[in-house]
Amino acid sequence: MEASSAAEQRVNASDAVGGPVLSVADLRVTFPGRAGRTLAAVNGVSFDLRRGESIGIVGESGSGKSMTALSVMRLLPPTAQVDGAISLESEDLLAKSDRQMRRVRGDRVGMVFQDPMTGLNPVRRIGSTLREAIRRHRDCTRREADDRAEEVLRSVGIPSPRERLRAYPHQLSGGLRQRVMIALALVNDPDLLIADEPTTALDSTIQAQILDLLKEQVTRSALIMITHDLGVAAELCDRIAVMYAGRVVEQGATAEVLRSPRHPYTVGLLNAAPDFSRRGRLTPIPGAPPQIGRVPTGCPFRPRCDRADATCEQWPGLEERDERLVACWYPHG
Amino acid sequence: MNDSSPVGTPMDETVPAPASGDQPLLRAERLRVVFRVGQRGLPAVNDVDLTVSPGETVGLVGESGSGKSTLARTLIRAYEPTSGRIVYDGQDITHASEGALKPVRRSMQMVFQDPYASLDARMSVRRIIAEPLLAHRVGSRREIRERVAQLLEDVGLPPDSGDRLPAQFSGGQRQRISIARALALETKLLIADEPVSALDVSIQAQIVNLLQDIQRDRGLAYLVIAHDLALIHEMCDRVAVLYLGEVVEEGPADHVVTNPQHPYTAALLAATPVPNPDHGRERIVLHGEPPSALDPPSGCNFHPRCPIARPHCAEESPPLAELPDGRRAACFYPGELTAVGRVDGRSQEHC
């Protein structure tokens, strides 16, 4: 299948699959700052995700993309104040107790992080980790859990899975460890998979394998892919939300956003990356992303934007036009 | 060398000098670096020939374990080569003593990937940039101060940066500090090991442009180590693709990257995600992972993962042979596997 049409076909295939698995509405995450100020890490993120769909949350460091993922898992530090609504299969996740959330994590929601070593206990065998993950949520015998663990390792393409159950994490390569992490996230057939930079630490040929694996998985659940790499999002995601300084600045169908980006930041990101089509001078975005607590008022991108004027001191709001959400007074196109 | 190779001719044992007459600044010949692992030898770099001419940018590309960083570190003699020869600026430095290397190191500098780890957090930026000058006892205190001020300007940092600590700078600014430090002496060759991969996407282009400006102004030669083919294509005149310590393809970056002849290069290109929904590239997903250099496969190193391998490839190792367009590829069937597909019936050869 040609990459150009794959994303569009997935969008069509997933049209009629019922209500959203996950619904995030006007999510805000703030932390207490000095002198009674509040620091906004995430500022008004909204999206729905259906079974079979994938959304890429794309941004640079400090954009709030990981905070968004952690909010869904309710894994933010205790000082974080979360507002808005997050519902999984119509259940309000923000209303759940910590105990109830532990039943959700690892069961209905699986998560894959950038560094597989952070998710694997170095002194436990792979099999023991998987077995625990299964038996925490399922009433089954050790033998049944072993069978399921073997099955899930096989499904993520790990050779000789039965033997691998006895391996320790350090005995596996980085690519295999990330496959184990994905197996761990999938072991209880989650409704939602959240992957935070799952391939960033991997070599490109291994990254391609892992992206293919995640692509297969999307058909069975829903996927949130957190990445800094628009190329990775293009490979995998039906839709993308581009975040900058805690805000979504552009959101829409991946192919459309990449073909005709409207927000100057999205345009800037695409122009800044070398892409094989030309050699010669790159066009960087001037300056650097703001640190939390130093985010300008109004449009956070305005100090770096060549289109900005005094109007941009007001936040433009995320407005919808032609099925695209754009937060800009002077959008492209 | 084998006689049954269907293409090209094996390279001569000796690398001829460039016809133009200008000697390469750096030349590695049949370089081998073998690390001892217990009782066994791990060949991290295996029979590599490489030249970098003055003012030229050469890229080394490969995955982890390909030997690209080991090769670069051996070229600056951070590691001792096991065999082969390194000639820098007309001088054989293969086994030169530390004392003999000191003047060489004045003009050979390195920029590292992680601008958070490569700058001493307790030193002022002025001191960091002045360190090479102090180490080589170049200039009076006043001259050093003026030199640092000039370098800060050259790399686009504000004049008051010198008194501050690295922690007060962003990742992109820290990489500018590393570059300023690398330029402090009379640098002729700058080795940049993944110079932008730790930086935010919007900052990477700033640093790439800075490196290109500096090269234009000072005529430096660059050796750029990167895993990102798009970056190599952007920055480099020539590129060498490494797999398991060996060069599998080498030639003009534009040809090698956009029209690879070795199946590994083609797979690398296909595996590079691009944010273009219409790029029309074929998907080539390699199975498995690179084998261990401790236990390399028979024949061609790449054959266990190669989509076009024949039985023959498990028996014989293909030489790095010159192709009609002047590049070299170590494959019995070069050009057979391409990463370039067709979209709308129109060739995407220069996508």
Side-chain angles (χ1 to χ4, degrees), chain B residues 15-94:
Chain B
V15 182
S20 61
D22 56 353
Q23 287 293 314
L25 179 61
L26 178 74
R27 193 167 83 235
E29 292 170 9
R30 315 218 60 157
L31 199 64
R32 262 174 75 84
V33 183
V34 182
F35 292 119
R36 273 193 55 184
V37 178
Q39 298 297 312
R40 300 202 280 172
L42 183 149
V45 174
N46 212 349
D47 268 346
V48 169
D49 291 331
L50 188 79
T51 60
V52 185
S53 295
E56 186 185 35
T57 302
V58 175
L60 293 179
V61 70
E63 298 180 277
S64 40
S66 65
K68 57 190 193 298
S69 293
T70 304
L71 172 58
R73 284 169 162 79
T74 308
L75 294 173
I76 62 166
R77 281 288 320 278
Y79 299 138
E80 185 85 9
T82 309
S83 64
R85 213 156 80 97
I86 308 169
V87 179
Y88 178 74
D89 214 4
Q91 185 187 346
D92 188 326
I93 61 164
T94 318

Side-chain angles (χ1 to χ4, degrees), chain A residues 27-31 39-43 67 71 76 80-83:
Chain A
L27 177 70
R28 281 163 210 277
V29 178
T30 51
F31 290 89
L39 307 174
V42 178
N43 202 342
M67 287 287 174
S71 311
L76 290 169
Q81 167 75 34
V82 181
D83 296 296

Side-chain angles (χ1 to χ4, degrees), chain B residues 191-259:
Chain B
I191 298 179
D193 192 347
E194 298 278 8
V196 301
S197 62
L199 304 178
D200 272 325
V201 182
S202 75
I203 309 298
Q204 293 186 357
Q206 296 176 7
I207 299 299
V208 170
N209 284 352
L210 174 65
L211 287 169
Q212 289 176 336
D213 290 345
I214 288 166
Q215 182 171 48
R216 192 195 54 219
D217 295 346
R218 301 174 185 231
L220 300 188
Y222 286 162
L223 184 62
V224 177
I225 299 154
H227 69 283
D228 179 356
L229 276 181
L231 179 73
I232 291 282
H233 180 249
E234 170 64 33
M235 288 192 76
C236 300
D237 303 309
R238 283 190 305 120
V239 61
V241 182
L242 288 156
Y243 188 79
L244 220 62
E246 293 177 358
V247 175
V248 296
E249 183 161 4
E250 188 268 331
D254 201 22
H255 296 187
V256 172
V257 172
T258 59
N259 181 22

Side-chain angles (χ1 to χ4, degrees), chain A residues 16-48:
Chain A
V17 203
V21 173
L22 180 77
S23 175
V24 174
D26 203 22
L27 177 70
R28 281 163 210 277
V29 178
T30 51
F31 290 89
R34 284 194 195 134
R37 291 174 61 216
T38 57
L39 307 174
V42 178
N43 202 342
V45 172
S46 302
F47 61 90
D48 283 352

Side-chain angles (χ1 to χ4, degrees), chain A residues 86-114:
Chain A
I86 303 175
S87 49
L88 181 71
E89 303 274 3
S90 309
E91 282 176 48
D92 184 357
L93 287 188
L94 295 181
K96 286 192 184 292
S97 68
D98 287 350
R99 207 187 135 150
Q100 288 170 319
M101 269 316 290
R102 281 199 292 274
R103 301 211 63 80
V104 172
R105 287 184 216 118
D107 185 19
R108 296 169 58 195
V109 183
M111 192 150 181
V112 182
F113 297 95
Q114 174 173 347

Side-chain angles (χ1 to χ4, degrees), chain A residues 1-5 60-61 173 175-176 203-209 211-212 215 228-232 234-235 255 258-259 265 269-270 272-289 304, chain B residues 63-64 170 200-203 205-206 208-209 212-213 216 227 229-231 233-237 253-254 257-258 264 267-269 271-279 281 283 285-290 305 342-343 351:
Chain A
M1 191 189 293
E2 268 154 18
S4 56
S5 54
E60 301 180 276
S61 48
S173 67
L176 279 185
D203 280 322
S204 41
T205 64
I206 308 300
Q207 166 170 282
Q209 295 172 357
L211 291 180
D212 271 15
K215 215 178 275 181
H228 70 282
D229 187 338
L230 279 168
V232 167
E235 291 273 325
L258 297 177
R259 273 190 203 121
Y265 176 61
L269 278 182
L270 285 166
D275 73 346
F276 301 107
S277 66
R278 52 174 193 265
R279 290 179 71 187
R281 223 171 153 70
L282 297 174
T283 315
I285 302 176
R304 306 177 71 190
Chain B
E63 298 180 277
S64 40
S170 67
D200 272 325
V201 182
S202 75
I203 309 298
Q206 296 176 7
V208 170
N209 284 352
Q212 289 176 336
D213 290 345
R216 192 195 54 219
H227 69 283
L229 276 181
L231 179 73
H233 180 249
E234 170 64 33
M235 288 192 76
C236 300
D237 303 309
D254 201 22
V257 172
T258 59
Y264 176 64
L268 267 188
L269 176 62
T272 305
V274 286
N276 176 357
D278 309 306
H279 65 65
R281 287 229 219 96
R283 300 275 294 141
V285 174
L286 293 181
H287 297 288
E289 306 189 359
R305 300 178 77 199
R342 278 166 181 277
V343 170
C351 63

Side-chain angles (χ1 to χ4, degrees), chain B residues 156-168:
Chain B
L157 286 169
D160 64 351
S161 305
D163 298 319
R164 290 151 70 189
L165 294 171
Q168 294 169 273

